[in-house]
Structures are given as C-alpha cells and as structure tokens.
C-alpha cells in the first residue's frame, strides 16, 4: 500500500506493508538518525515527533500516519545545534546514541512549555533512556537550552 507523509516539511510517498512500523519505514528510507534500541517501546531511542508530539516510532504502524507531519532531528537543525552546544559545555555527551531522540523530545517540550522546571523536564523525558550519562549533566544542559531565547 502507499502512504503519504510530510517529513521535515517535505511531502513523501512510500510503498509499505500494512504491518510495517514507522521506525522500519523511516530507516529503510535513509532516515538513519531514527535509531533502533529495544524495539518494544521501552527505551525511546526511536522517538520522532508526530504532529510535534514525541512518539516511539517502533510502536506506530506506518499505515496510521497518513498525512501526518513527522519530524526527525534533520528537521530541527538549528535547535539541535543549540542543544549540542550546552551538552558539550556541560559534558553531557557520551556515546550519543540517545541524542537524536532526546533532542526531539526536548524540542517538543520547548514548544509546549519553555518555562518547564527541572522536575517537569525529568517527567517529560521519562521515556528517553540513556545508558551512559546518569542524566544530571543532560538535565542541566536542557535547562540552559530551554532558557535560550536566541
Ligand atoms: S526502539 Fe522504540 S522504544 Fe526502544
Ligand atoms: S549518551 Fe550513550 S546512550 Fe545516552
């Protein structure tokens, strides 16, 4: 079957199987920043934004995304640069495997509530696991990013 998606502002059409997940369709079509981890909705590294809300793409059938707006990190380049700067300054970067999903979730939070406090940040990021960092420096970097009006 064919589906029409808007990905990072571009209209795309894909030929998919009815039982294919969005994660597989995106990776097959070279959106490789969308990563595979647990494949069972537990780790969050496959997160994309669907109509600006973070969703684990391993849990969504591509067929249900007809005409939806999908965002990957390639679509929010400037925001990613800002966040990466704070991650670098605060030493929040390690292997980086979780970074694209984390950036998308944080960007979505910024759209929804740029005045979020640290507890709200932690709560919003509860579905995004990081195996390396222990989160403290990441959360500090995210607070700085949320306060960045540039
Ligand atoms: S790969 Fe989707 S939540 Fe882990
Ligand atoms: S930095 Fe390695 S998984 Fe997060």
């Amino acid at each position: 079957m064919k589906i029409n998606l808007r990905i990072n502002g571009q209209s795309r059409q894909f030929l998919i199987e009815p039982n294919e997940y969005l994660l597989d369709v995106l990776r097959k079509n070279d959106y490789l920043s969308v990563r595979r981890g647990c494949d069972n909705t537990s780790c969050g590294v496959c997160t994309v934004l669907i109509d600006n809300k973070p969703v684990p793409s391993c849990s969504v059938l591509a067929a249900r995304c007809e005409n939806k707006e999908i965002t990957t990190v390639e679509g929010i380049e400037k925001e990613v640069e800002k966040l990466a700067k704070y991650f670098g300054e605060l030493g929040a970067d390690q292997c980086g495997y979780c970074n694209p999903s984390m950036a998308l979730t944080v960007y979505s939070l910024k759209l929804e509530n740029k005045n979020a406090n640290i507890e709200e940040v932690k709560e919003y990021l509860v579905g995004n696991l990081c195996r390396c960092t222990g989160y403290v420096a990441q959360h500090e970097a995210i607070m700085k990013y949320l306060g960045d009006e540039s």
Side-chain angles (χ1 to χ4, degrees):
M1 63 186 286
K2 284 182 184 163
I3 52 161
N4 298 292
L5 303 177
R6 293 268 305 162
I7 304 187
N8 300 329
Q10 284 191 315
S11 298
R12 300 280 319 260
Q13 189 172 72
F14 300 111
L15 199 55
I16 63 160
E17 298 298 328
N19 61 352
E20 255 185 312
Y21 285 94
L22 182 60
L23 171 62
D24 299 302
V25 172
L26 291 173
R27 288 191 58 84
K28 228 194 256 180
N29 288 282
D30 295 329
Y31 293 94
L32 298 176
S33 68
V34 187
R35 297 186 170 153
R36 186 186 304 281
C38 63
D39 228 1
N40 67 15
T41 329
S42 304
C43 73
V45 294
C46 64
T47 297
V48 296
L49 303 186
I50 301 181
D51 295 338
N52 281 334
K53 296 289 175 211
V55 177
S57 59
C58 71
S59 72
V60 181
L61 286 173
R64 301 196 65 175
C65 297
E66 176 73 16
N67 292 327
K68 301 268 188 204
E69 185 78 45
I70 312 290
T71 307
T72 69
V73 281
E74 291 82 358
I76 57 163
E77 216 170 306
K78 280 201 176 124
E79 297 299 315
V80 171
E81 275 171 23
K82 277 192 241 171
L83 185 61
K85 176 172 81 89
Y86 293 120
F87 266 49
E89 284 174 10
L90 287 155
D93 249 336
Q94 290 196 30
C95 82
Y97 198 71
C98 65
N99 285 2
S101 57
M102 193 84 64
L104 286 163
T105 303
V106 169
Y107 173 65
S108 167
L109 173 60
K110 193 173 191 178
L111 294 178
E112 201 176 299
N113 177 15
K114 70 182 168 65
N115 298 316
N117 62 35
I118 187 78
E119 292 311 315
E120 288 166 325
V121 166
K122 288 181 192 173
E123 198 177 316
Y124 207 82
L125 283 165
V126 77
N128 289 84
L129 302 188
C130 172
R131 296 174 211 185
C132 308
T133 65
Y135 302 106
V136 176
Q138 284 181 337
H139 291 156
E140 283 175 24
I142 289 164
M143 290 304 292
K144 284 190 179 280
Y145 164 73
L146 291 177
D148 185 337
E149 304 281 353
S150 65

mmCIF file of all heavy atoms in Angstrom, residues 7-8 26 31-35 45 47-49 70-81 83 98-107:
data_model
loop_
_atom_site.group_PDB
_atom_site.id
_atom_site.type_symbol
_atom_site.label_atom_id
_atom_site.label_comp_id
_atom_site.label_asym_id
_atom_site.label_seq_id
_atom_site.Cartn_x
_atom_site.Cartn_y
_atom_site.Cartn_z
ATOM 1 N N ILE A 7 7.562 14.755 5.881
ATOM 2 C CA ILE A 7 8.719 14.528 6.744
ATOM 3 C C ILE A 7 9.627 15.743 6.668
ATOM 4 O O ILE A 7 10.098 16.106 5.586
ATOM 5 C CB ILE A 7 9.498 13.256 6.335
ATOM 6 C CG1 ILE A 7 8.564 12.054 6.335
ATOM 7 C CG2 ILE A 7 10.667 13.024 7.286
ATOM 8 C CD1 ILE A 7 9.237 10.731 6.114
ATOM 9 N N ASN A 8 9.848 16.361 7.822
ATOM 10 C CA ASN A 8 10.696 17.559 7.898
ATOM 11 C C ASN A 8 10.283 18.594 6.847
ATOM 12 O O ASN A 8 11.115 19.178 6.157
ATOM 13 C CB ASN A 8 12.176 17.183 7.757
ATOM 14 C CG ASN A 8 12.607 16.250 8.858
ATOM 15 O OD1 ASN A 8 12.085 16.303 9.968
ATOM 16 N ND2 ASN A 8 13.540 15.361 8.561
ATOM 17 N N LEU A 26 11.046 4.476 8.109
ATOM 18 C CA LEU A 26 11.974 5.608 8.114
ATOM 19 C C LEU A 26 13.404 5.135 7.879
ATOM 20 O O LEU A 26 14.127 5.688 7.036
ATOM 21 C CB LEU A 26 11.876 6.377 9.436
ATOM 22 C CG LEU A 26 10.565 7.145 9.646
ATOM 23 C CD1 LEU A 26 10.502 7.728 11.056
ATOM 24 C CD2 LEU A 26 10.417 8.271 8.617
ATOM 25 N N TYR A 31 16.381 7.577 6.814
ATOM 26 C CA TYR A 31 16.304 8.477 7.965
ATOM 27 C C TYR A 31 16.991 7.760 9.130
ATOM 28 O O TYR A 31 16.342 7.270 10.062
ATOM 29 C CB TYR A 31 14.842 8.829 8.284
ATOM 30 C CG TYR A 31 14.194 9.655 7.197
ATOM 31 C CD1 TYR A 31 13.466 9.050 6.181
ATOM 32 C CD2 TYR A 31 14.351 11.039 7.165
ATOM 33 C CE1 TYR A 31 12.887 9.807 5.164
ATOM 34 C CE2 TYR A 31 13.781 11.799 6.159
ATOM 35 C CZ TYR A 31 13.052 11.180 5.167
ATOM 36 O OH TYR A 31 12.493 11.930 4.166
ATOM 37 N N LEU A 32 18.324 7.692 9.020
ATOM 38 C CA LEU A 32 19.066 6.828 9.936
ATOM 39 C C LEU A 32 19.355 7.468 11.293
ATOM 40 O O LEU A 32 19.874 6.805 12.189
ATOM 41 C CB LEU A 32 20.371 6.372 9.273
ATOM 42 C CG LEU A 32 20.162 5.540 8.001
ATOM 43 C CD1 LEU A 32 21.500 5.208 7.361
ATOM 44 C CD2 LEU A 32 19.383 4.264 8.299
ATOM 45 N N SER A 33 18.979 8.741 11.451
ATOM 46 C CA SER A 33 19.099 9.343 12.781
ATOM 47 C C SER A 33 18.051 8.748 13.720
ATOM 48 O O SER A 33 18.167 8.869 14.932
ATOM 49 C CB SER A 33 18.906 10.861 12.709
ATOM 50 O OG SER A 33 17.570 11.163 12.361
ATOM 51 N N VAL A 34 17.025 8.128 13.151
ATOM 52 C CA VAL A 34 15.990 7.472 13.966
ATOM 53 C C VAL A 34 16.521 6.077 14.300
ATOM 54 O O VAL A 34 16.689 5.235 13.418
ATOM 55 C CB VAL A 34 14.651 7.387 13.207
ATOM 56 C CG1 VAL A 34 13.566 6.859 14.134
ATOM 57 C CG2 VAL A 34 14.260 8.745 12.648
ATOM 58 N N ARG A 35 16.815 5.882 15.561
ATOM 59 C CA ARG A 35 17.586 4.693 15.945
ATOM 60 C C ARG A 35 16.722 3.585 16.509
ATOM 61 O O ARG A 35 15.619 3.828 16.997
ATOM 62 C CB ARG A 35 18.668 5.105 16.927
ATOM 63 C CG ARG A 35 19.593 6.058 16.206
ATOM 64 C CD ARG A 35 20.777 6.460 16.956
ATOM 65 N NE ARG A 35 21.655 7.157 16.032
ATOM 66 C CZ ARG A 35 22.529 8.068 16.394
ATOM 67 N NH1 ARG A 35 22.673 8.368 17.665
ATOM 68 N NH2 ARG A 35 23.289 8.648 15.503
ATOM 69 N N VAL A 45 14.768 5.486 22.043
ATOM 70 C CA VAL A 45 15.756 5.992 21.061
ATOM 71 C C VAL A 45 15.183 6.107 19.642
ATOM 72 O O VAL A 45 15.772 6.743 18.782
ATOM 73 C CB VAL A 45 17.072 5.169 20.996
ATOM 74 C CG1 VAL A 45 17.851 5.261 22.275
ATOM 75 C CG2 VAL A 45 16.861 3.761 20.528
ATOM 76 N N THR A 47 12.439 7.634 19.013
ATOM 77 C CA THR A 47 11.455 8.739 19.063
ATOM 78 C C THR A 47 11.519 9.630 17.820
ATOM 79 O O THR A 47 12.603 10.014 17.365
ATOM 80 C CB THR A 47 11.715 9.613 20.306
ATOM 81 O OG1 THR A 47 11.524 8.808 21.465
ATOM 82 C CG2 THR A 47 10.781 10.814 20.362
ATOM 83 N N VAL A 48 10.354 9.937 17.286
ATOM 84 C CA VAL A 48 10.206 11.009 16.285
ATOM 85 C C VAL A 48 9.067 11.891 16.800
ATOM 86 O O VAL A 48 8.366 11.520 17.743
ATOM 87 C CB VAL A 48 9.848 10.469 14.880
ATOM 88 C CG1 VAL A 48 10.963 9.602 14.327
ATOM 89 C CG2 VAL A 48 8.516 9.725 14.882
ATOM 90 N N LEU A 49 8.895 13.045 16.177
ATOM 91 C CA LEU A 49 7.720 13.845 16.500
ATOM 92 C C LEU A 49 6.655 13.569 15.454
ATOM 93 O O LEU A 49 6.936 13.570 14.250
ATOM 94 C CB LEU A 49 8.042 15.335 16.517
ATOM 95 C CG LEU A 49 9.165 15.780 17.467
ATOM 96 C CD1 LEU A 49 9.273 17.301 17.472
ATOM 97 C CD2 LEU A 49 8.954 15.246 18.875
ATOM 98 N N ILE A 70 5.810 14.393 10.256
ATOM 99 C CA ILE A 70 6.837 13.668 11.008
ATOM 100 C C ILE A 70 8.088 14.547 11.076
ATOM 101 O O ILE A 70 8.509 15.105 10.060
ATOM 102 C CB ILE A 70 7.232 12.350 10.282
ATOM 103 C CG1 ILE A 70 6.007 11.537 9.853
ATOM 104 C CG2 ILE A 70 8.212 11.524 11.118
ATOM 105 C CD1 ILE A 70 5.224 10.919 10.951
ATOM 106 N N THR A 71 8.672 14.638 12.262
ATOM 107 C CA THR A 71 9.917 15.403 12.395
ATOM 108 C C THR A 71 11.008 14.502 12.948
ATOM 109 O O THR A 71 10.810 13.801 13.942
ATOM 110 C CB THR A 71 9.728 16.610 13.350
ATOM 111 O OG1 THR A 71 8.603 17.369 12.908
ATOM 112 C CG2 THR A 71 10.959 17.502 13.369
ATOM 113 N N THR A 72 12.179 14.543 12.284
ATOM 114 C CA THR A 72 13.381 13.886 12.801
ATOM 115 C C THR A 72 14.386 15.010 13.098
ATOM 116 O O THR A 72 14.143 16.167 12.753
ATOM 117 C CB THR A 72 13.983 12.910 11.769
ATOM 118 O OG1 THR A 72 14.527 13.668 10.675
ATOM 119 C CG2 THR A 72 12.935 11.934 11.239
ATOM 120 N N VAL A 73 15.541 14.670 13.668
ATOM 121 C CA VAL A 73 16.466 15.766 14.025
ATOM 122 C C VAL A 73 16.916 16.581 12.815
ATOM 123 O O VAL A 73 17.257 17.755 12.958
ATOM 124 C CB VAL A 73 17.742 15.296 14.784
ATOM 125 C CG1 VAL A 73 17.452 15.047 16.233
ATOM 126 C CG2 VAL A 73 18.408 14.146 14.129
ATOM 127 N N GLU A 74 16.913 15.962 11.644
ATOM 128 C CA GLU A 74 17.322 16.722 10.449
ATOM 129 C C GLU A 74 16.391 17.915 10.213
ATOM 130 O O GLU A 74 16.780 18.883 9.559
ATOM 131 C CB GLU A 74 17.321 15.829 9.208
ATOM 132 C CG GLU A 74 18.399 14.763 9.180
ATOM 133 C CD GLU A 74 18.046 13.515 9.970
ATOM 134 O OE1 GLU A 74 16.963 13.459 10.602
ATOM 135 O OE2 GLU A 74 18.874 12.569 9.962
ATOM 136 N N GLY A 75 15.187 17.842 10.744
ATOM 137 C CA GLY A 75 14.211 18.908 10.544
ATOM 138 C C GLY A 75 14.316 20.024 11.569
ATOM 139 O O GLY A 75 13.620 21.036 11.455
ATOM 140 N N ILE A 76 15.155 19.850 12.588
ATOM 141 C CA ILE A 76 15.270 20.911 13.628
ATOM 142 C C ILE A 76 16.749 21.233 13.868
ATOM 143 O O ILE A 76 17.192 21.373 15.012
ATOM 144 C CB ILE A 76 14.572 20.487 14.946
ATOM 145 C CG1 ILE A 76 15.127 19.167 15.501
ATOM 146 C CG2 ILE A 76 13.066 20.405 14.776
ATOM 147 C CD1 ILE A 76 14.780 18.939 16.968
ATOM 148 N N GLU A 77 17.456 21.366 12.766
ATOM 149 C CA GLU A 77 18.917 21.511 12.818
ATOM 150 C C GLU A 77 19.402 22.623 13.770
ATOM 151 O O GLU A 77 20.310 22.401 14.571
ATOM 152 C CB GLU A 77 19.418 21.798 11.414
ATOM 153 C CG GLU A 77 20.755 21.153 11.123
ATOM 154 C CD GLU A 77 21.069 21.266 9.644
ATOM 155 O OE1 GLU A 77 20.241 20.840 8.812
ATOM 156 O OE2 GLU A 77 22.118 21.823 9.350
ATOM 157 N N LYS A 78 18.767 23.803 13.665
ATOM 158 C CA LYS A 78 19.248 24.932 14.491
ATOM 159 C C LYS A 78 19.057 24.650 15.978
ATOM 160 O O LYS A 78 19.896 24.979 16.807
ATOM 161 C CB LYS A 78 18.477 26.213 14.138
ATOM 162 C CG LYS A 78 19.006 26.850 12.885
ATOM 163 C CD LYS A 78 18.628 28.322 12.824
ATOM 164 C CE LYS A 78 19.266 28.926 11.590
ATOM 165 N NZ LYS A 78 18.322 29.555 10.688
ATOM 166 N N GLU A 79 17.927 24.052 16.313
ATOM 167 C CA GLU A 79 17.654 23.726 17.722
ATOM 168 C C GLU A 79 18.655 22.675 18.214
ATOM 169 O O GLU A 79 19.140 22.748 19.343
ATOM 170 C CB GLU A 79 16.216 23.196 17.875
ATOM 171 C CG GLU A 79 15.157 24.202 17.512
ATOM 172 C CD GLU A 79 15.194 25.449 18.394
ATOM 173 O OE1 GLU A 79 15.322 25.324 19.610
ATOM 174 O OE2 GLU A 79 15.114 26.557 17.824
ATOM 175 N N VAL A 80 18.967 21.717 17.347
ATOM 176 C CA VAL A 80 19.924 20.672 17.729
ATOM 177 C C VAL A 80 21.299 21.287 17.977
ATOM 178 O O VAL A 80 21.989 20.912 18.929
ATOM 179 C CB VAL A 80 19.998 19.583 16.630
ATOM 180 C CG1 VAL A 80 21.138 18.614 16.892
ATOM 181 C CG2 VAL A 80 18.682 18.833 16.547
ATOM 182 N N GLU A 81 21.677 22.245 17.147
ATOM 183 C CA GLU A 81 22.988 22.910 17.344
ATOM 184 C C GLU A 81 23.043 23.591 18.705
ATOM 185 O O GLU A 81 24.029 23.508 19.418
ATOM 186 C CB GLU A 81 23.217 23.960 16.258
ATOM 187 C CG GLU A 81 23.817 23.361 15.000
ATOM 188 C CD GLU A 81 23.835 24.358 13.854
ATOM 189 O OE1 GLU A 81 23.803 25.581 14.105
ATOM 190 O OE2 GLU A 81 23.846 23.881 12.700
ATOM 191 N N LEU A 83 21.241 22.909 21.420
ATOM 192 C CA LEU A 83 21.255 21.906 22.490
ATOM 193 C C LEU A 83 22.635 21.244 22.577
ATOM 194 O O LEU A 83 23.172 21.045 23.669
ATOM 195 C CB LEU A 83 20.163 20.856 22.233
ATOM 196 C CG LEU A 83 19.960 19.813 23.312
ATOM 197 C CD1 LEU A 83 19.547 20.453 24.648
ATOM 198 C CD2 LEU A 83 18.892 18.792 22.893
ATOM 199 N N CYS A 98 21.591 8.158 22.218
ATOM 200 C CA CYS A 98 20.267 8.651 22.614
ATOM 201 C C CYS A 98 20.021 10.100 22.186
ATOM 202 O O CYS A 98 18.921 10.610 22.352
ATOM 203 C CB CYS A 98 20.110 8.551 24.132
ATOM 204 S SG CYS A 98 21.257 9.645 25.027
ATOM 205 N N ASN A 99 21.056 10.778 21.678
ATOM 206 C CA ASN A 99 20.934 12.230 21.463
ATOM 207 C C ASN A 99 19.820 12.652 20.500
ATOM 208 O O ASN A 99 19.079 13.590 20.810
ATOM 209 C CB ASN A 99 22.264 12.818 20.974
ATOM 210 C CG ASN A 99 23.276 12.921 22.093
ATOM 211 O OD1 ASN A 99 23.005 12.520 23.222
ATOM 212 N ND2 ASN A 99 24.455 13.420 21.793
ATOM 213 N N PRO A 100 19.666 12.013 19.332
ATOM 214 C CA PRO A 100 18.596 12.483 18.434
ATOM 215 C C PRO A 100 17.217 12.395 19.076
ATOM 216 O O PRO A 100 16.413 13.339 18.977
ATOM 217 C CB PRO A 100 18.705 11.539 17.221
ATOM 218 C CG PRO A 100 20.107 11.044 17.243
ATOM 219 C CD PRO A 100 20.472 10.948 18.694
ATOM 220 N N SER A 101 16.955 11.296 19.764
ATOM 221 C CA SER A 101 15.625 11.136 20.375
ATOM 222 C C SER A 101 15.436 12.131 21.512
ATOM 223 O O SER A 101 14.366 12.730 21.678
ATOM 224 C CB SER A 101 15.460 9.709 20.905
ATOM 225 O OG SER A 101 16.480 9.415 21.831
ATOM 226 N N MET A 102 16.506 12.347 22.268
ATOM 227 C CA MET A 102 16.452 13.290 23.385
ATOM 228 C C MET A 102 16.199 14.702 22.839
ATOM 229 O O MET A 102 15.374 15.446 23.374
ATOM 230 C CB MET A 102 17.818 13.218 24.097
ATOM 231 C CG MET A 102 17.931 13.836 25.407
ATOM 232 S SD MET A 102 17.400 12.870 26.819
ATOM 233 C CE MET A 102 18.442 11.482 26.949
ATOM 234 N N ALA A 103 16.902 15.066 21.771
ATOM 235 C CA ALA A 103 16.756 16.414 21.189
ATOM 236 C C ALA A 103 15.316 16.635 20.719
ATOM 237 O O ALA A 103 14.747 17.710 20.926
ATOM 238 C CB ALA A 103 17.735 16.592 20.028
ATOM 239 N N LEU A 104 14.728 15.621 20.106
ATOM 240 C CA LEU A 104 13.352 15.781 19.611
ATOM 241 C C LEU A 104 12.371 15.955 20.774
ATOM 242 O O LEU A 104 11.473 16.798 20.730
ATOM 243 C CB LEU A 104 12.955 14.568 18.764
ATOM 244 C CG LEU A 104 13.611 14.535 17.382
ATOM 245 C CD1 LEU A 104 13.522 13.140 16.783
ATOM 246 C CD2 LEU A 104 12.978 15.562 16.449
ATOM 247 N N THR A 105 12.560 15.163 21.816
ATOM 248 C CA THR A 105 11.646 15.247 22.959
ATOM 249 C C THR A 105 11.779 16.609 23.644
ATOM 250 O O THR A 105 10.781 17.245 24.003
ATOM 251 C CB THR A 105 11.932 14.103 23.957
ATOM 252 O OG1 THR A 105 11.813 12.870 23.254
ATOM 253 C CG2 THR A 105 10.962 14.109 25.116
ATOM 254 N N VAL A 106 13.021 17.066 23.782
ATOM 255 C CA VAL A 106 13.252 18.351 24.438
ATOM 256 C C VAL A 106 12.698 19.502 23.590
ATOM 257 O O VAL A 106 12.129 20.462 24.117
ATOM 258 C CB VAL A 106 14.763 18.529 24.709
ATOM 259 C CG1 VAL A 106 15.082 19.944 25.136
ATOM 260 C CG2 VAL A 106 15.214 17.548 25.765
ATOM 261 N N TYR A 107 12.850 19.400 22.294
ATOM 262 C CA TYR A 107 12.301 20.431 21.401
ATOM 263 C C TYR A 107 10.774 20.476 21.544
ATOM 264 O O TYR A 107 10.171 21.551 21.612
ATOM 265 C CB TYR A 107 12.710 20.124 19.960
ATOM 266 C CG TYR A 107 12.058 21.026 18.950
ATOM 267 C CD1 TYR A 107 12.343 22.394 18.922
ATOM 268 C CD2 TYR A 107 11.150 20.522 18.020
ATOM 269 C CE1 TYR A 107 11.737 23.231 18.000
ATOM 270 C CE2 TYR A 107 10.535 21.355 17.095
ATOM 271 C CZ TYR A 107 10.831 22.706 17.092
ATOM 272 O OH TYR A 107 10.221 23.534 16.182
#
